[in-house]
Amino acid sequence: MENLIAVAQKTRRAALKLAVLSTEAKNQAIEAIAQALESAKDEILQANIADCENSLAEGIAEPLYKRLKLDEHKLRDAIAGVRDVGKLADPVGNVQIHREIDTGLILKRVTCPLGVLGIIFEARPEAAIQIVSLAIKSGNGVILKAGKEAVRSCEAIVKAIKQGLSQTAVNPDAVQLLTTREEILQLLKLDKYVDLIIPRGSNSFVRFVQDNTRIPVLGHADGVCHLYIDKAADLEKALAITIDAKTNYPAACNAIETLLVHANIAPKVLPQIGEALQQLKVELRGDERTCQILPNIKEATEQDWETEYTALILSIKLVDSLEEAIAHINEYGSKHTDGIVSEDEEAAETFLALVNAAGVYHNCSTRFADGFRYGFGAEVGISTQQMPPRGPVGLEGLVTYKYQMSGNGHIAATYTGANAKSFTHRDLL
């Protein structure tokens, strides 16, 4: 534990210096990271091959293996994402409130870094690249805990990042990597040095983290996403969106797991969708009415409605109204991303207003729920909690704010009692 405390202390000291660096200095560090990753490309890819071979030998699940595998294209895109973060506006030092409380007594609310982030993530090694670039840009130190499957890949990535930072104003100690499972519990006890924990993994793992730490937790657990095909849907759009939302990358948390179809159009649309999905090797499971239309599929159970498959499996349920679709989503969904296909604008507006999720979509695939696609440059994760930040968490979710007040000998007693002065409360922005 002492060793990890020392690591956290180093990260905290480096983060304090990082917090006051100029935008230019942080952007130079981000570009140095991108160049270092490009130079270390071969080493990173070889490390990933070793991780993949080892994980296959241990019988890794296919969805997890797809997340683990880092090819040249994924790495190239991740490095492009680093440079995109460099182009984004600096989230630190923004004056949100500038107010005269009284003559010569001025209040400002100014954005500032959180401090030190603890990120525990699954088998996606490129997540380390995204997280570090966002942490540097937002002025935060970061302690990474990679999944055991991706340890070699992440060691190579963090080694390159630290080499890049060593040539800049950012102390490489601002980025740390933990590699053992035992260190997770130790990390969760470091509330003196770590300001926010972001766990990326299963629902049960996120709950485990929340139950074992006093540090605030920004939770993203299951992605039980839905698509509802309304009675006023364009069938061509419905088919294309359903196929993309399920098969484009089924291991992603923004892939749909349940398809809801209005009963009025089910006899027309379901045979087309069912045939197209089965040609793409999707296993279909349906409620009783769905099975009457698609007799060659499995019958869905209650558990199917609340399961994140992260695989080529899709549950289908017929509903008799928009209200029933919304009720099903709010009952079984994980508040991640849910969509409607409809040409009825009023129905779409009702869906967007009443579905309780971080992302609510109309006539487009749920696969767009991603920080990079939102223009955030990258994301540290997706938050399904009710309080902000919500959805893909980019730079704005990694800063807080402080109130700064300056006066000229002002005291509170002047504004109380029989001859109390009044506040002017005049906004200067």
Side-chain angles (χ1 to χ4, degrees), residues 18 22-40 76 78-88 129 132-134 136-137 160-170:
L18 171 57
S22 67
T23 302
E24 183 182 6
K26 290 188 289 187
N27 286 344
Q28 287 172 350
I30 287 168
E31 176 57 29
I33 288 172
Q35 291 181 14
L37 289 168
E38 285 173 338
S39 297
R76 180 198 61 206
I79 294 170
V82 173
R83 291 196 165 103
D84 286 340
V85 170
K87 297 171 189 172
L88 295 174
I129 297 172
V132 169
S133 58
L134 289 170
I136 299 296
K137 183 78 175 201
I161 287 171
K162 284 177 169 283
Q163 286 174 341
L165 291 178
S166 67
Q167 310 300 314
T168 74
V170 177

Side-chain angles (χ1 to χ4, degrees), residues 97-107 423-429:
I97 294 174
H98 190 193
R99 182 171 295 158
E100 178 192 85
I101 302 302
D102 193 8
T103 304
L105 184 63
I106 306 299
L107 173 71
F423 296 113
T424 59
H425 287 160
R426 183 170 66 93
D427 285 333
L428 303 176
L429 274 179

Side-chain angles (χ1 to χ4, degrees), residues 28-312:
Q28 287 172 350
I30 287 168
E31 176 57 29
I33 288 172
Q35 291 181 14
L37 289 168
E38 285 173 338
S39 297
K41 180 184 72 172
D42 292 342
E43 184 181 341
I44 292 168
L45 294 177
Q46 283 301 122
N48 184 252
I49 289 170
D51 278 334
C52 288
E53 289 175 348
N54 186 66
S55 295
L56 282 173
E58 293 184 357
I60 187 173
E62 185 179 353
L64 204 59
Y65 180 77
K66 287 181 178 177
R67 293 181 184 182
L68 172 63
K69 192 169 176 56
L70 182 65
D71 58 24
E72 196 166 336
H73 302 298
K74 267 191 186 179
L75 184 56
R76 180 198 61 206
D77 290 346
I79 294 170
V82 173
R83 291 196 165 103
D84 286 340
V85 170
K87 297 171 189 172
L88 295 174
D90 194 334
V92 176
N94 295 328
V95 179
Q96 298 178 327
I97 294 174
H98 190 193
R99 182 171 295 158
E100 178 192 85
I101 302 302
D102 193 8
T103 304
L105 184 63
I106 306 299
L107 173 71
K108 290 182 180 179
R109 189 169 81 188
V110 184
T111 56
C112 60
L114 289 169
V116 175
L117 313 173
I119 318 284
I120 309 168
F121 60 100
E122 77 293 1
R124 286 181 59 228
E126 70 269 27
I129 297 172
Q130 297 174 351
I131 291 162
V132 169
S133 58
L134 289 170
I136 299 296
K137 183 78 175 201
S138 57
N140 292 293
V142 62
I143 301 174
L144 302 165
K145 169 61 184 74
K148 65 176 183 178
E149 305 87 359
V151 165
R152 296 173 185 84
S153 306
C154 289
E155 284 176 336
I157 286 168
V158 171
K159 178 184 174 185
I161 287 171
K162 284 177 169 283
Q163 286 174 341
L165 291 178
S166 67
Q167 310 300 314
T168 74
V170 177
N171 187 331
D173 286 344
V175 180
Q176 305 287 349
L177 176 67
L178 309 181
T179 58
T180 68
R181 189 175 183 83
E182 293 72 34
E183 288 170 316
I184 295 177
L185 272 175
Q186 295 175 29
L187 175 65
L188 297 181
K189 291 179 169 61
L190 296 178
D191 52 291
K192 186 176 179 181
Y193 305 106
V194 178
D195 300 283
L196 179 68
I197 295 285
I198 304 179
R200 295 172 51 153
S202 68
N203 207 8
S204 59
F205 176 68
V206 173
R207 287 192 183 130
F208 170 82
V209 169
Q210 291 169 331
D211 291 343
N212 286 278
T213 187
R214 291 196 296 245
I215 304 168
V217 177
L218 191 146
H220 158 223
D222 293 347
V224 183
C225 301
H226 298 76
L227 184 66
Y228 166 55
I229 301 177
D230 184 47
K231 64 181 178 181
D234 178 294
L235 300 191
E236 192 175 330
K237 291 179 189 175
L239 180 61
I241 292 169
T242 302
I243 290 170
D244 184 82
K246 180 69 251 184
T247 69
N248 175 260
Y249 186 32
C253 57
N254 56 19
I256 59 168
E257 309 295 5
T258 297
L259 180 69
L260 302 173
V261 182
H262 197 289
N264 286 9
I265 63 164
K268 184 176 181 181
V269 70
L270 265 187
Q272 295 179 50
I273 289 177
E275 182 182 358
L277 289 172
Q278 286 177 322
Q279 284 181 355
L280 293 167
K281 310 299 184 189
V282 179
E283 178 190 326
L284 301 179
R285 301 176 184 179
D287 67 346
E288 185 178 347
R289 289 193 292 176
T290 299
C291 290
Q292 289 172 359
I293 298 172
L294 302 175
N296 63 335
I297 71 171
K298 286 185 179 180
E299 189 167 338
T301 66
E302 179 73 12
Q303 187 177 355
D304 283 308
W305 308 129
E306 55 194 25
T307 298
E308 181 184 25
Y309 301 115
T310 61
L312 288 172

